[in-house]
């Protein structure tokens, strides 16, 4: 348990990300893929149902013993809140109301943010664009762990702790790696979130607020769904920097597992990503893929070749900011 992981640096490459060229080839070969670039008509209703489910849970946990509150926060609330963060991911690509109504998408993401307990949606949107534009970009893609994370979390026990603390690293890393000016939407996101939290506290007391926060911290930490954090871009096989997961948890995570397909076509909503693979199987079936996020987490902890350093990095030229 005390052995250090085998890597001492990131996997540096000097080529462009593969998704841009594959996107061009696939659109030329299969123009029908463009028809999949449309809003998800069910997304707004699914998200609304998840938000209402957490509001009902807040009412139900008012008198619950603390041990049962944390149990349900992990077993139920963790799944719902993690699913909502992935809905926010989908909405950040304007898949709820389409690209013609960006303001509707941004405000709906703030609505989806409410049960998470902390303001998240506006900041995620601001940084996630860079994750696609500069995949693996040194100092630009804040999805990449820092050198301190790579150096420190290098044994099985420390990697396990790193997984538990994922919500904190994902929240704080952008401030260290690529700080940006606070936007108006981030201020509004924060105000709306504080008003919502205060309303829950005033109506039902402290336990529902703790339940919501615990749902986010536990659900985004060491949780089966959190396997997607590692599965998406950690280098399980040399030469491959993005991986898809084709398992059952896609059903409650807006198909975030179809991650190669998503990076090939970010404007296609999660509900249509399986159709991309169906239309063009020769581009995906031969690629390395995951079938269990739990196994991903297990391998990440116990395989010496895996750890925070097991990411592809490149130096990217900074493009004009179009946000």
């Amino acid at each position: 348990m005390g052995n250090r992981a085998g890597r001492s640096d990131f996997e540096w490459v000097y080529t462009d990300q593969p998704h841009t060229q594959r996107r061009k080839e696939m659109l030329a070969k299969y123009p029908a893929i463009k028809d999949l670039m449309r809003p998800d008509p069910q997304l707004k209703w699914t998200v609304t149902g998840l938000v209402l489910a957490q509001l009902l849970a807040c009412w139900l946990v008012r008198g619950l013993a603390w041990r049962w509150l944390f149990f349900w926060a992990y077993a139920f609330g963790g799944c719902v809140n993690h699913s909502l963060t992935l809905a926010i991911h989908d909405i950040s690509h304007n898949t709820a109301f389409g690209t013609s109504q960006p303001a509707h998408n941004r405000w709906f993401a703030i609505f989806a943010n409410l049960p998470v307990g902390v303001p998240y949606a506006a900041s995620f949107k601001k940084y996630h664009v860079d994750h696609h534009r500069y995949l693996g970009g040194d100092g630009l893609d804040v999805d990449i762990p820092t050198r301190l994370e790579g150096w420190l979390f290098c044994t099985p026990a420390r990697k396990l702790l790193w997984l538990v603390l994922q919500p904190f690293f994902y929240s704080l890393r952008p401030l260290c790696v690529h700080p940006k000016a606070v936007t108006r939407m981030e201020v509004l996101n924060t105000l709306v979130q504080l008003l919502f939290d205060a309303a829950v506290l005033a109506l039902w007391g402290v336990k529902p607020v703790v339940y919501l926060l615990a749902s986010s911290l536990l659900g985004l930490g060491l949780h089966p769904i959190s396997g997607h954090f590692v599965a998406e871009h950690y280098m399980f096989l040399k030469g491959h920097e993005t991986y898809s997961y084709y398992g059952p948890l896609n059903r409650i995570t807006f198909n975030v597992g179809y991650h190669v397909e998503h990076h090939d076509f970010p404007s296609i909503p999660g509900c249509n990503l399986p159709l991309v693979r169906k239309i063009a199987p020769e581009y995906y079936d031969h690629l390395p893929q995951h079938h269990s996020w739990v196994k991903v987490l297990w391998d990440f902890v116990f395989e010496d070749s895996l750890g925070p350093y097991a990411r592809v990095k490149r130096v990217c030229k900074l493009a004009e900011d179009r946000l």
Side-chain angles (χ1 to χ4, degrees):
M1 289 291 290
N3 294 335
R4 295 180 66 88
R7 299 194 64 91
S8 59
D9 197 1
F10 300 103
E11 182 77 7
W12 288 91
V13 298
Y14 303 94
T15 56
D16 292 333
Q17 61 163 295
H19 302 285
T20 305
Q21 182 59 36
R22 184 160 56 229
R23 183 183 309 125
K24 293 178 180 178
E25 291 180 9
M26 292 179 66
L27 287 175
K29 187 174 182 179
Y30 300 108
I33 290 177
K34 290 182 180 180
D35 296 335
L36 303 178
M37 300 176 186
R38 58 180 185 269
D40 177 356
Q42 299 301 319
L43 183 58
K44 62 180 76 70
W45 306 115
T46 303
V47 168
T48 300
L50 292 172
V51 171
L52 292 177
Q54 281 295 69
L55 284 174
L56 176 61
C58 284
W59 183 78
L60 292 172
V61 302
R62 292 169 302 154
L64 212 57
W66 285 107
R67 65 180 182 276
W68 287 109
L69 183 149
F70 285 108
F71 170 80
W72 287 112
Y74 184 86
F76 176 76
C79 296
V80 175
N81 276 14
H82 202 137
S83 183
L84 282 170
T85 66
L86 295 173
I88 290 169
H89 164 258
D90 224 23
I91 298 165
S92 74
H93 294 283
N94 297 315
T95 59
F97 296 95
T99 55
S100 63
Q101 301 185 75
H104 286 63
N105 287 289
R106 294 196 179 197
W107 279 108
F108 190 62
I110 290 175
F111 170 73
N113 193 155
L114 294 177
V116 177
V118 293
Y120 159 82
S123 297
F124 178 82
K125 166 75 174 179
K126 181 172 71 174
Y127 283 102
H128 190 62
V129 172
D130 288 344
H131 172 60
H132 281 272
R133 188 181 296 165
Y134 308 113
L135 181 63
D138 185 33
L140 297 171
D141 183 358
V142 298
D143 191 63
I144 302 276
T146 62
R147 284 193 174 275
L148 178 61
E149 291 172 73
W151 173 79
L152 185 59
F153 298 100
C154 55
T155 68
R158 294 182 191 180
K159 287 190 284 183
L160 187 65
L161 177 62
W162 185 78
L163 293 173
V164 172
L165 298 176
Q166 276 301 287
F168 298 100
F169 288 115
Y170 267 86
S171 300
L172 299 175
R173 191 185 298 138
L175 304 178
C176 302
V177 174
H178 191 202
K180 296 185 177 184
V182 176
T183 66
R184 177 175 173 270
M185 285 305 298
E186 286 178 294
V187 173
L188 293 172
N189 190 177
T190 301
L191 291 175
V192 170
Q193 190 64 55
L194 289 175
L195 287 172
F196 174 81
D197 293 346
V200 172
L201 180 64
L203 286 171
W204 297 318
V206 70
K207 282 189 174 180
V209 177
V210 173
Y211 164 79
L212 291 177
L213 294 173
S215 295
S216 297
L217 293 175
L218 297 175
L220 294 167
L222 189 61
H223 193 280
I225 297 177
S226 293
H228 81 87
F229 287 131
V230 176
E232 290 166 359
H233 296 293
Y234 284 80
M235 196 175 63
F236 283 76
L237 184 64
K238 188 177 177 65
H240 296 271
E241 59 184 300
T242 309
Y243 302 77
S244 284
Y245 156 82
Y246 300 125
L249 290 178
N250 277 313
R251 297 176 184 176
I252 60 171
T253 57
F254 301 94
N255 283 329
V256 73
Y258 286 78
H259 215 66
V260 178
E261 293 87 340
H262 170 63
H263 272 265
D264 287 346
F265 301 99
S267 58
I268 293 180
C271 65
N272 287 338
L273 290 176
L275 296 177
V276 175
R277 185 187 181 202
K278 185 176 180 180
I279 290 171
E282 71 272 22
Y283 283 91
Y284 300 106
D285 288 352
H286 69 287
L287 297 177
Q289 55 196 242
H290 299 292
H291 296 278
S292 168
W293 279 335
V294 173
K295 186 177 186 301
V296 164
L297 294 173
W298 179 274
D299 290 344
F300 180 82
V301 170
F302 293 107
E303 291 288 339
D304 286 345
S305 61
L306 294 171
Y309 268 142
R311 290 292 298 263
V312 170
K313 289 191 78 172
R314 54 175 56 85
V315 176
C316 294
K317 182 181 179 181
L318 189 64
E320 180 185 356
D321 189 6
R322 300 198 264 291
L323 279 179

